[in-house]
Amino acid sequence: QFIPQNLALTVWAYATVRHDAPALFDKVAAEAMQKVVQFIPQDIANIVWAYATVRHDAPALFDEVAAEAMQKVVQFIPQNLANTVWAYATVRHDAPALFDKVAAEAMQKV
């Protein structure tokens, strides 16, 4: 069984080479939603970056990840903050509460 890091890094690798594997991305999204509370900030940033990069539609995943990210945003390094909001902006997934939390955290780190 894949742990959260394996899920995030698998789709990250596919996205890095711009290879959308729809069935794989759908399966990873379903599994990631069940394990999202176990994701560390880097897993959160990597998974949404991957889906945004290949433009794979996964609104339920983005909703679940946003909720979890808001709980962990103080643990994010600047790159995690930037990559996460970039992903949401790229797919135009509305997450105003997440953006507000990221803005507050970014102001502490700028």
Side-chain angles (χ1 to χ4, degrees):
Q1 293 293 338
F2 274 39
I3 63 172
Q5 183 183 33
N6 301 143
L7 294 169
L9 288 178
T10 297
V11 292
W12 174 87
Y14 277 75
T16 297
V17 295
R18 305 301 194 263
H19 185 88
D20 187 16
L24 175 64
F25 274 70
D26 289 344
K27 180 69 173 175
V28 167
E31 187 69 17
M33 286 188 290
Q34 294 177 23
K35 296 180 177 178
V36 72
V37 298
Q38 300 171 34
F39 277 45
I40 64 170
Q42 178 125 12
D43 299 334
I44 290 169
N46 283 347
I47 203 162
V48 293
W49 179 90
Y51 281 78
T53 297
V54 297
R55 307 302 197 270
H56 188 91
D57 191 38
L61 174 64
F62 273 68
D63 287 341
E64 291 290 325
V65 169
E68 189 62 25
M70 290 191 328
Q71 303 301 313
K72 297 176 177 170
V73 75
V74 297
Q75 301 169 28
F76 281 40
I77 64 171
Q79 184 176 359
N80 299 150
L81 295 170
N83 287 355
T84 300
V85 292
W86 174 88
Y88 280 79
T90 297
V91 299
R92 302 192 189 289
H93 189 92
D94 192 31
L98 174 61
F99 272 67
D100 290 345
K101 286 261 192 176
V102 168
E105 188 61 26
M107 286 190 290
Q108 299 297 315
K109 294 179 176 174
V110 170

